[in-house]
Each structure stands twice: as structure tokens, then as C-alpha cells.
């Protein structure tokens, strides 16, 4: 535990993104998984104006931008085996671009069913299947699936769905996350409070549903953790946290490891405050799950998960000047990327010589854009009992 605490506490800012013409909130971060000696590592960032920016990781310079016009992009994800970057779109498509090409035209479109508005998605670990979640339209909230493999012999740039699940969520599907190493396992989360685990190698939806967990609140973040990634966890829009162990599905042991209705009310930050949760990360080498949260003034808190509660480890200060919306922890070099409402993308590295940066002023964004992005509030949403 001390190692990660020391690593996190020793992080210093080594690079700050250059300014852009249109300042935006930075809502999501992913990095290219391919490592090529002659090519720089890439970072993709989802912005609140619906644009994806591609950065050179070490210099944090914007290389190019992609947009979903006339739709609005939600989420950003690199493929696992190449530099293709994906995003879901409100125009009933999943779009993907080659991040190393200057062309703004998507190299592939994955077309949904009529009236689909995609607000979440993921691609599985072997890059063969995409799954996307929709907003509820009429009585339907769908998980839609596509074959993601790009066939060089097929000149068509548009693909139709393989099929969809329609019976397991009753409201907007806000989160989709494939298992890190088992390509047929996927977990979904919704504003209906349910977190569903599926084995998509099984033909029909009812049989494919492995288990349903209930967070009793609108799901804002989900992930896999534990040895062999046999645990799942979620966060809610009113800052709750749930953690379940799938190893106990066929035993008499309880599946719930931890359930906290509002982390802000129970966490001891040694005099500090917690305003919101950002996300989680499972550290394989340490076999530990960590939760990242923050304050409205830009302080970042690292907490460790135990079955008896969350323990505050350390905090990062002097980085952001406003709410932090996104992060990406690189397990290879223990570097951290963070993005916030101050329009800043920061690269932190342990033991690096600290560069002197001035905090940027907070941004005021037009209400039409502000309504499209997640906001944190001290007022808990009304919980829906199931």
C-alpha cells in the first residue's frame, strides 16, 4: 500500500496542454495501447463541445481533432491492437477514426437501429465486438452489438448491428465495460440502478445474463477488479459506491463486498473535503482497487478499497483549478493524465522535476453545453428503491 501512496504523493506535473481556441471541459481520456519506438504515444480526449482531440502524450500538443457532426459524441476509446479511436454518437452510430491520419472522415461507421441515441460504449479486449448503450426511447433502452473487425476486402464503411439486448434495463444505459481479458464478458450500468453482467457467447439475452446487481441509484461509472477480474464495482451520480464479488455467485457467501450510499458522508480526509467521485483503477501487481475523487477547487484524492470501507491515502494539489472530470493511470510507467473543467490536460509523473505552472482560471461554459455533461452536486439525487 505504501508503494502506491508514495508513487501518487510523488507525482509532479511535467506537462500541461497548450491552449485551444475553444476552451472546453475534458470529459474522458484514453491512450493508444500500441508501443512503437519510432512513433509518439497518442492521447485521445473527449471534450464537452462534442469533439475528440488527439494529443502527443509527451508534449500534450493537439495533433488533430475529430467530431461527430451532426451528432454529439459520448465516450472515447482506443482499440487494443491499433491506433483506431472510437466514440459513440447521438446520430445512431459508433464512429471510428485512424488517429494517425489527418482525415476527419471516419474509417468505419457502425450504424444502429432507427431512433438509437448512443450514450455509452466499449470494445472488447480482442477488438472483435463493440457494444453500445442507448438512451431510453419510448419503452426501450438497448445494448446494441456489432462485429468490429475491419475486413480489407470489404469496401463498405458502414456496418449494421449483429443484434441487441432489450429486456434487462428499463432506463438510459450510461455505462458499458468489457472484461479486460475475457472477450465475451461485458457489464452494463443504467440510471435504473441496475448493473448487469452478460456472457455474450450465449445466444439469447435471458440466458446470457449472468447476474444483476442493484446500486439503488443512477450508475455513473463501472469497472472490473480483483484477481482474474472476477469482481465488479460501480459509482453513482450521487457519489455512492458499490463493490461485488462474482466468485460468490455459486456459493453461500454474500456477493456484496462494500456498499456506501454517499462516500462524501463517510470518508475521513484528515481535514479535507470530497465533493465527487471520478472513477476507479485496479492495480494488478498490488491486487488493490483504488478510487479517485476530488474537490470543486481541483484537488485530487486517492482512496483504497477495503471490505470495511474506503481509506484516504493521499491527495494531489496545485494541478487543476476546477472540478476534475477524467483521468488515465498508466500502469507501465506509473504516470497519470487528468482533465478538468479548467480545460487543462495534465501529465503527472512520479519523482519528476516539478515544472512551475500557473493554475488556469475556471471556465464558464454556455448552458446549452453545460446541460450535456455530468454535473456534481452536494444535493443527492432522489434514490429509486427497487
Amino acid at each position: 500500500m505504501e508503494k502506491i501512496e508514495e508513487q501518487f504523493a510523488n507525482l509532479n506535473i511535467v506537462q500541461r496542454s497548450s491552449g485551444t481556441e475553444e476552451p472546453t471541459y475534458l470529459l474522458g481520456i484514453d491512450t493508444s495501447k500500441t508501443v512503437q519506438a519510432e512513433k509518439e504515444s497518442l492521447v485521445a480526449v473527449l471534450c464537452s463541445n462534442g469533439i475528440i482531440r488527439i494529443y502527443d502524450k509527451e508534449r500534450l500538443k493537439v495533433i488533430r481533432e475529430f467530431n461527430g457532426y451532426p451528432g454529439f459524441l459520448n465516450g472515447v476509446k482506443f482499440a487494443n491492437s491499433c491506433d483506431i479511436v472510437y466514440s459513440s454518437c447521438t446520430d445512431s452510430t459508433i464512429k471510428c477514426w485512424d488517429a494517425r491520419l489527418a482525415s476527419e472522415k471516419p474509417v468505419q461507421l457502425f450504424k444502429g437501429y432507427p431512433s438509437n441515441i448512443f450514450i455509452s460504449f466499449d470494445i472488447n479486449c480482442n477488438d472483435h465486438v463493440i457494444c453500445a448503450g442507448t438512451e431510453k426511447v419510448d419503452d426501450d433502452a438497448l445494448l446494441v452489438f456489432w462485429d468490429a473487425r475491419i475486413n480489407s476486402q470489404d469496401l463498405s464503411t458502414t456496418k449494421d448491428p449483429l443484434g441487441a439486448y432489450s429486456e434487462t434495463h428499463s432506463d438510459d444505459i450510461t455505462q458499458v465495460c468489457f472484461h479486460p481479458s475475457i472477450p465475451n464478458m461485458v457489464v452494463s450500468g443504467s440510471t435504473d440502478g441496475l448493473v448487469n453482467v452478460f456472457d455474450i457467447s450465449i445466444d439469447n439475452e435471458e440466458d446470457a445474463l449472468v447476474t444483476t446487481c442493484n446500486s439503488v441509484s443512477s450508475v455513473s461509472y463501472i469497472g472490473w477488479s480483483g484477481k482474474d477480474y472476477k469482481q465488479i464495482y460501480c459509482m453513482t451520480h450521487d457519489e455512492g459506491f458499490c463493490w461485488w464479488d462474482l466468485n460468490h455467485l455459486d456459493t453461500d457467501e454474500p456477493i456484496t463486498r462494500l456498499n456506501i450510499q454517499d462516500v462524501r458522508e463517510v470518508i475521513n480526509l484528515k481535514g479535507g473535503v470530497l465533493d465527487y467521485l471520478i472513477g476507479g483503477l485496479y492495480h494488478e501487481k498490488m491486487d488493490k482497487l483504488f478510487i479517485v475523487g476530488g474537490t470543486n477547487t481541483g484537488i485530487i484524492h486517492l482512496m483504497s478499497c477495503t471490505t470495511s470501507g474506503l481509506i484516504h491515502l493521499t491527495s494531489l494539489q496545485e494541478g487543476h483549478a476546477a472540478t476534475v472530470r477524467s483521468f488515465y493511470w498508466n500502469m507501465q510507467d506509473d504516470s497519470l493524465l487528468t482533465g478538468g473543467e479548467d480545460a487543462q490536460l495534465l501529465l503527472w509523473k512520479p519523482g519528476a522535476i516539478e515544472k512551475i505552472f500557473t493554475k488556469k482560471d475556471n471556465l464558464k461554459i454556455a448552458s446549452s453545453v453545460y446541460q450535456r455533461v455530468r454535473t456534481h452536486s452536494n444535493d443527492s439525487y432522489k434514490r429509486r428503491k427497487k
Side-chain angles (χ1 to χ4, degrees):
M1 193 69 73
E2 292 159 356
K3 185 181 178 187
I4 187 102
E5 184 175 358
E6 289 172 7
Q7 286 175 350
F8 202 81
N10 290 334
L11 287 172
N12 289 314
I13 302 168
V14 296
Q15 198 59 261
R16 188 186 291 270
S17 61
S18 56
T20 56
E21 290 183 7
E22 184 182 359
T24 63
Y25 294 0
L26 306 186
L27 304 179
I29 302 171
D30 198 18
T31 66
S32 57
K33 313 299 189 298
T34 56
V35 179
Q36 299 174 348
E38 73 278 10
K39 293 182 179 179
E40 73 275 12
S41 182
L42 301 178
V43 176
V45 176
L46 175 69
C47 305
S48 58
N49 60 358
I51 285 176
I52 288 176
R53 292 192 189 126
I54 305 297
Y55 292 82
D56 163 2
K57 181 181 176 183
E58 293 306 316
R59 295 177 298 154
L60 294 190
K61 301 289 186 183
V62 178
I63 300 172
R64 57 188 55 91
E65 295 182 345
F66 302 122
N67 71 68
Y69 183 83
F72 193 89
L73 297 178
N74 291 287
V76 61
K77 178 87 175 181
F78 270 103
N80 296 287
S81 57
C82 62
D83 290 326
I84 297 292
V85 64
Y86 297 83
S87 186
S88 59
C89 192
T90 56
D91 68 357
S92 297
T93 65
I94 303 295
K95 303 181 190 295
C96 70
W97 298 266
D98 188 330
R100 296 196 181 275
L101 296 182
S103 172
E104 295 183 4
K105 185 178 179 181
V107 295
Q108 190 84 55
L109 284 177
F110 299 91
K111 191 176 180 181
Y113 299 105
S115 80
N116 283 167
I117 299 173
F118 295 118
I119 56 174
S120 58
F121 82 101
D122 198 9
I123 184 165
N124 71 346
C125 60
N126 61 12
D127 293 337
H128 286 183
V129 178
I130 293 171
C131 176
T134 72
E135 285 188 356
K136 182 182 178 182
V137 176
D138 296 326
D139 290 327
D140 292 325
L142 304 181
L143 284 169
V144 183
F145 298 88
W146 296 264
D147 183 343
R149 291 169 291 186
I150 297 176
N151 185 350
S152 59
Q153 306 299 317
D154 184 1
L155 299 179
S156 172
T157 57
T158 303
K159 283 194 173 186
D160 292 323
L162 295 170
Y165 292 167
S166 60
E167 303 297 328
T168 39
H169 284 296
S170 61
D171 213 333
D172 298 354
I173 300 173
T174 54
Q175 291 284 298
V176 176
C177 185
F178 276 99
H179 192 280
S181 59
I182 304 174
N184 54 296
M185 299 297 293
V186 65
V187 61
S188 61
S190 167
T191 54
D192 63 11
L194 301 184
V195 175
N196 291 326
V197 181
F198 298 95
D199 179 350
I200 63 171
S201 66
I202 299 172
D203 283 343
N204 65 78
E205 179 178 357
E206 184 178 357
D207 292 338
L209 181 62
V210 175
T211 192
T212 295
C213 303
N214 195 347
S215 71
V216 201
S217 190
S218 175
V219 175
S220 62
Y221 188 99
I222 54 178
W224 297 82
S225 66
K227 183 173 171 52
D228 298 324
Y229 291 95
K230 291 184 177 179
Q231 300 168 359
I232 56 173
Y233 63 94
C234 88
M235 296 164 202
T236 66
H237 284 103
D238 47 7
E239 319 310 337
F241 176 77
C242 300
W243 188 17
W244 299 283
D245 193 336
L246 304 183
N247 287 299
H248 296 164
L249 285 176
D250 298 321
T251 72
D252 293 331
E253 295 291 320
I255 187 175
T256 302
R257 292 176 64 84
L258 188 62
N259 188 334
I260 302 174
Q261 286 202 347
D262 190 336
V263 174
R264 296 168 299 185
E265 295 177 355
V266 299
I267 189 71
N268 180 4
L269 293 177
K270 308 174 182 107
V273 297
L274 177 74
D275 291 319
Y276 52 85
L277 300 175
I278 307 169
L281 64 100
Y282 173 68
H283 201 294
E284 283 188 356
K285 293 176 184 175
M286 298 183 182
D287 187 24
K288 295 286 184 182
L289 175 60
F290 299 96
I291 299 303
V292 181
T295 71
N296 296 329
T297 56
I299 297 171
I300 301 170
H301 298 306
L302 180 72
M303 296 159 277
S304 67
C305 297
T306 71
T307 52
S308 57
L310 300 182
I311 301 171
H312 176 239
L313 296 180
T314 188
S315 301
L316 288 178
Q317 305 189 49
E318 305 304 324
H320 291 278
T323 297
V324 178
R325 288 299 194 102
S326 52
F327 76 96
Y328 183 91
W329 179 272
N330 187 320
M331 299 285 179
Q332 276 64 52
D333 62 3
D334 292 319
S335 64
L336 177 70
L337 285 159
T338 57
E341 293 187 3
D342 54 5
Q344 291 295 293
L345 177 65
L346 304 184
L347 174 62
W348 310 70
K349 289 190 176 181
I353 298 174
E354 183 166 8
K355 293 187 177 182
I356 304 301
F357 292 101
T358 302
K359 276 191 179 183
K360 300 292 183 180
D361 292 335
N362 196 1
L363 293 174
K364 299 297 182 183
I365 289 183
S367 60
S368 61
V369 174
Y370 186 78
Q371 291 169 0
R372 301 302 300 265
V373 299
R374 174 187 173 187
T375 57
H376 297 281
S377 169
N378 289 328
D379 299 321
S380 295
Y381 290 173
K382 190 175 184 180
R383 294 182 176 273
R384 283 177 258 190
K385 300 294 182 183
K386 297 291 176 184

